[in-house]
Amino acid sequence: MTEDEILSEFRAAEALLEGHFLLSSGRHSAYYLQCARLLMNPERASRIAVAIAQKLPRDIRSQIEIVVSPAMGGIIIGHEMGRALSVDALFVERPEGVFGLRRGFALKEGQKVLMVEDVVTTGLSSREAIKAIEDAGGEVIAAASIVDRSAGSVDLGVPFFPLIELNFPTYAPDELPPELAASEAVKPGSRKA
């Protein structure tokens, strides 16, 4: 998929929002990508996952034994990545603030894992998910996401393959431009900042 085709998918799903948003990272933005809306259509979700799978180098793709994604935002794309790669998909969650496996999920020692997120901005959730996977015995050989909002600067400690890089500016609370400072921020994500 080209960048224009991917953005067309976001627009068709009304998933590219404009306003004043408080991101999970604690930063502010005039744009928000609501991946839950993008992925609510199973055919579109499947197309997005196949496109991400096609971006993975063949040598990495052939090693993946399981997909693990962080709840909440990564669950749907993680499931679809499992389907695209013909492997199981499970997720880590943080009911008490720290990611871990629950619901009877387990990893085999050394199992080769692709960690999949919806959006990466600072990489905090991704790094926390990777740590939880490694603590559970998995070996994260790569990470992938629908969107990289970091302007290509994020370091997850493993090869990272986003479907698209979107460089919408983000701001610390004390750096807000006047047009954002004049309005109240909306928190549309799944995690409190």
PDB file of all heavy atoms in Angstrom, residues 50-66:
ATOM      1  N   VAL A  50      -2.095  -7.342   6.119  1.00  0.00           N
ATOM      2  CA  VAL A  50      -1.359  -7.931   5.000  1.00  0.00           C
ATOM      3  C   VAL A  50      -0.301  -6.948   4.502  1.00  0.00           C
ATOM      4  O   VAL A  50       0.842  -7.337   4.212  1.00  0.00           O
ATOM      5  CB  VAL A  50      -2.324  -8.358   3.870  1.00  0.00           C
ATOM      6  CG1 VAL A  50      -1.572  -8.671   2.582  1.00  0.00           C
ATOM      7  CG2 VAL A  50      -3.147  -9.559   4.323  1.00  0.00           C
ATOM      8  N   ALA A  51      -0.645  -5.682   4.442  1.00  0.00           N
ATOM      9  CA  ALA A  51       0.321  -4.664   3.993  1.00  0.00           C
ATOM     10  C   ALA A  51       1.502  -4.578   4.962  1.00  0.00           C
ATOM     11  O   ALA A  51       2.654  -4.442   4.531  1.00  0.00           O
ATOM     12  CB  ALA A  51      -0.368  -3.307   3.844  1.00  0.00           C
ATOM     13  N   ILE A  52       1.232  -4.648   6.272  1.00  0.00           N
ATOM     14  CA  ILE A  52       2.329  -4.638   7.246  1.00  0.00           C
ATOM     15  C   ILE A  52       3.188  -5.893   7.072  1.00  0.00           C
ATOM     16  O   ILE A  52       4.424  -5.818   7.051  1.00  0.00           O
ATOM     17  CB  ILE A  52       1.805  -4.546   8.693  1.00  0.00           C
ATOM     18  CG1 ILE A  52       1.096  -3.214   8.925  1.00  0.00           C
ATOM     19  CG2 ILE A  52       2.960  -4.707   9.690  1.00  0.00           C
ATOM     20  CD1 ILE A  52       0.339  -3.126  10.248  1.00  0.00           C
ATOM     21  N   ALA A  53       2.547  -7.042   6.932  1.00  0.00           N
ATOM     22  CA  ALA A  53       3.284  -8.303   6.759  1.00  0.00           C
ATOM     23  C   ALA A  53       4.199  -8.237   5.543  1.00  0.00           C
ATOM     24  O   ALA A  53       5.327  -8.739   5.580  1.00  0.00           O
ATOM     25  CB  ALA A  53       2.313  -9.474   6.647  1.00  0.00           C
ATOM     26  N   GLN A  54       3.731  -7.588   4.486  1.00  0.00           N
ATOM     27  CA  GLN A  54       4.540  -7.468   3.271  1.00  0.00           C
ATOM     28  C   GLN A  54       5.761  -6.570   3.472  1.00  0.00           C
ATOM     29  O   GLN A  54       6.736  -6.684   2.742  1.00  0.00           O
ATOM     30  CB  GLN A  54       3.686  -6.962   2.116  1.00  0.00           C
ATOM     31  CG  GLN A  54       2.686  -7.990   1.650  1.00  0.00           C
ATOM     32  CD  GLN A  54       1.667  -7.445   0.653  1.00  0.00           C
ATOM     33  OE1 GLN A  54       1.480  -6.239   0.525  1.00  0.00           O
ATOM     34  NE2 GLN A  54       1.009  -8.357  -0.047  1.00  0.00           N
ATOM     35  N   LYS A  55       5.721  -5.681   4.475  1.00  0.00           N
ATOM     36  CA  LYS A  55       6.870  -4.816   4.763  1.00  0.00           C
ATOM     37  C   LYS A  55       7.955  -5.537   5.560  1.00  0.00           C
ATOM     38  O   LYS A  55       9.086  -5.073   5.622  1.00  0.00           O
ATOM     39  CB  LYS A  55       6.423  -3.573   5.540  1.00  0.00           C
ATOM     40  CG  LYS A  55       5.634  -2.597   4.689  1.00  0.00           C
ATOM     41  CD  LYS A  55       5.569  -1.256   5.316  1.00  0.00           C
ATOM     42  CE  LYS A  55       6.844  -0.490   4.983  1.00  0.00           C
ATOM     43  NZ  LYS A  55       6.768   0.926   5.314  1.00  0.00           N
ATOM     44  N   LEU A  56       7.602  -6.642   6.188  1.00  0.00           N
ATOM     45  CA  LEU A  56       8.583  -7.379   6.986  1.00  0.00           C
ATOM     46  C   LEU A  56       9.564  -8.101   6.061  1.00  0.00           C
ATOM     47  O   LEU A  56       9.138  -8.786   5.118  1.00  0.00           O
ATOM     48  CB  LEU A  56       7.895  -8.412   7.877  1.00  0.00           C
ATOM     49  CG  LEU A  56       6.909  -7.889   8.918  1.00  0.00           C
ATOM     50  CD1 LEU A  56       6.169  -9.046   9.565  1.00  0.00           C
ATOM     51  CD2 LEU A  56       7.621  -7.037   9.945  1.00  0.00           C
ATOM     52  N   PRO A  57      10.862  -7.983   6.324  1.00  0.00           N
ATOM     53  CA  PRO A  57      11.827  -8.740   5.518  1.00  0.00           C
ATOM     54  C   PRO A  57      11.544 -10.238   5.607  1.00  0.00           C
ATOM     55  O   PRO A  57      11.149 -10.737   6.663  1.00  0.00           O
ATOM     56  CB  PRO A  57      13.176  -8.395   6.157  1.00  0.00           C
ATOM     57  CG  PRO A  57      12.947  -7.099   6.873  1.00  0.00           C
ATOM     58  CD  PRO A  57      11.508  -7.134   7.324  1.00  0.00           C
ATOM     59  N   ARG A  58      11.753 -10.925   4.518  1.00  0.00           N
ATOM     60  CA  ARG A  58      11.442 -12.353   4.430  1.00  0.00           C
ATOM     61  C   ARG A  58      12.123 -13.155   5.537  1.00  0.00           C
ATOM     62  O   ARG A  58      11.518 -14.048   6.129  1.00  0.00           O
ATOM     63  CB  ARG A  58      11.849 -12.900   3.057  1.00  0.00           C
ATOM     64  CG  ARG A  58      11.492 -14.368   2.855  1.00  0.00           C
ATOM     65  CD  ARG A  58      11.801 -14.882   1.459  1.00  0.00           C
ATOM     66  NE  ARG A  58      10.951 -14.210   0.500  1.00  0.00           N
ATOM     67  CZ  ARG A  58      11.410 -13.525  -0.567  1.00  0.00           C
ATOM     68  NH1 ARG A  58      12.690 -13.439  -0.796  1.00  0.00           N
ATOM     69  NH2 ARG A  58      10.572 -12.955  -1.397  1.00  0.00           N
ATOM     70  N   ASP A  59      13.394 -12.833   5.853  1.00  0.00           N
ATOM     71  CA  ASP A  59      14.112 -13.608   6.877  1.00  0.00           C
ATOM     72  C   ASP A  59      13.477 -13.432   8.259  1.00  0.00           C
ATOM     73  O   ASP A  59      13.446 -14.377   9.043  1.00  0.00           O
ATOM     74  CB  ASP A  59      15.601 -13.256   6.909  1.00  0.00           C
ATOM     75  CG  ASP A  59      15.875 -11.813   7.277  1.00  0.00           C
ATOM     76  OD1 ASP A  59      15.134 -10.920   6.811  1.00  0.00           O
ATOM     77  OD2 ASP A  59      16.827 -11.559   8.044  1.00  0.00           O
ATOM     78  N   ILE A  60      12.959 -12.256   8.557  1.00  0.00           N
ATOM     79  CA  ILE A  60      12.263 -12.042   9.833  1.00  0.00           C
ATOM     80  C   ILE A  60      10.895 -12.714   9.801  1.00  0.00           C
ATOM     81  O   ILE A  60      10.515 -13.427  10.724  1.00  0.00           O
ATOM     82  CB  ILE A  60      12.139 -10.534  10.160  1.00  0.00           C
ATOM     83  CG1 ILE A  60      13.519  -9.973  10.511  1.00  0.00           C
ATOM     84  CG2 ILE A  60      11.137 -10.293  11.291  1.00  0.00           C
ATOM     85  CD1 ILE A  60      13.554  -8.489  10.761  1.00  0.00           C
ATOM     86  N   ARG A  61      10.162 -12.495   8.719  1.00  0.00           N
ATOM     87  CA  ARG A  61       8.808 -13.059   8.596  1.00  0.00           C
ATOM     88  C   ARG A  61       8.830 -14.574   8.763  1.00  0.00           C
ATOM     89  O   ARG A  61       7.965 -15.145   9.418  1.00  0.00           O
ATOM     90  CB  ARG A  61       8.227 -12.648   7.239  1.00  0.00           C
ATOM     91  CG  ARG A  61       6.736 -12.823   7.132  1.00  0.00           C
ATOM     92  CD  ARG A  61       6.159 -12.214   5.874  1.00  0.00           C
ATOM     93  NE  ARG A  61       6.803 -12.675   4.663  1.00  0.00           N
ATOM     94  CZ  ARG A  61       7.334 -11.889   3.728  1.00  0.00           C
ATOM     95  NH1 ARG A  61       7.310 -10.585   3.850  1.00  0.00           N
ATOM     96  NH2 ARG A  61       7.897 -12.399   2.659  1.00  0.00           N
ATOM     97  N   SER A  62       9.842 -15.234   8.207  1.00  0.00           N
ATOM     98  CA  SER A  62       9.899 -16.691   8.262  1.00  0.00           C
ATOM     99  C   SER A  62      10.206 -17.220   9.663  1.00  0.00           C
ATOM    100  O   SER A  62       9.949 -18.387   9.956  1.00  0.00           O
ATOM    101  CB  SER A  62      10.936 -17.220   7.276  1.00  0.00           C
ATOM    102  OG  SER A  62      12.245 -16.848   7.686  1.00  0.00           O
ATOM    103  N   GLN A  63      10.753 -16.379  10.544  1.00  0.00           N
ATOM    104  CA  GLN A  63      11.093 -16.809  11.909  1.00  0.00           C
ATOM    105  C   GLN A  63       9.951 -16.622  12.905  1.00  0.00           C
ATOM    106  O   GLN A  63       9.966 -17.230  13.975  1.00  0.00           O
ATOM    107  CB  GLN A  63      12.288 -16.010  12.428  1.00  0.00           C
ATOM    108  CG  GLN A  63      13.589 -16.267  11.713  1.00  0.00           C
ATOM    109  CD  GLN A  63      14.672 -15.405  12.332  1.00  0.00           C
ATOM    110  OE1 GLN A  63      14.965 -15.528  13.529  1.00  0.00           O
ATOM    111  NE2 GLN A  63      15.254 -14.527  11.542  1.00  0.00           N
ATOM    112  N   ILE A  64       8.970 -15.788  12.590  1.00  0.00           N
ATOM    113  CA  ILE A  64       7.922 -15.435  13.550  1.00  0.00           C
ATOM    114  C   ILE A  64       7.083 -16.663  13.900  1.00  0.00           C
ATOM    115  O   ILE A  64       6.523 -17.317  13.026  1.00  0.00           O
ATOM    116  CB  ILE A  64       7.027 -14.306  12.997  1.00  0.00           C
ATOM    117  CG1 ILE A  64       7.865 -13.037  12.790  1.00  0.00           C
ATOM    118  CG2 ILE A  64       5.848 -14.035  13.934  1.00  0.00           C
ATOM    119  CD1 ILE A  64       7.168 -11.964  11.961  1.00  0.00           C
ATOM    120  N   GLU A  65       7.009 -16.941  15.199  1.00  0.00           N
ATOM    121  CA  GLU A  65       6.223 -18.070  15.682  1.00  0.00           C
ATOM    122  C   GLU A  65       4.910 -17.637  16.317  1.00  0.00           C
ATOM    123  O   GLU A  65       3.983 -18.443  16.424  1.00  0.00           O
ATOM    124  CB  GLU A  65       7.035 -18.863  16.707  1.00  0.00           C
ATOM    125  CG  GLU A  65       8.299 -19.463  16.126  1.00  0.00           C
ATOM    126  CD  GLU A  65       9.143 -20.145  17.173  1.00  0.00           C
ATOM    127  OE1 GLU A  65       9.526 -19.492  18.172  1.00  0.00           O
ATOM    128  OE2 GLU A  65       9.416 -21.356  16.993  1.00  0.00           O
ATOM    129  N   ILE A  66       4.845 -16.384  16.758  1.00  0.00           N
ATOM    130  CA  ILE A  66       3.648 -15.889  17.425  1.00  0.00           C
ATOM    131  C   ILE A  66       3.663 -14.363  17.386  1.00  0.00           C
ATOM    132  O   ILE A  66       4.722 -13.748  17.318  1.00  0.00           O
ATOM    133  CB  ILE A  66       3.564 -16.422  18.884  1.00  0.00           C
ATOM    134  CG1 ILE A  66       2.162 -16.241  19.469  1.00  0.00           C
ATOM    135  CG2 ILE A  66       4.661 -15.840  19.756  1.00  0.00           C
ATOM    136  CD1 ILE A  66       1.897 -17.083  20.711  1.00  0.00           C
TER     137      ILE A  66
END
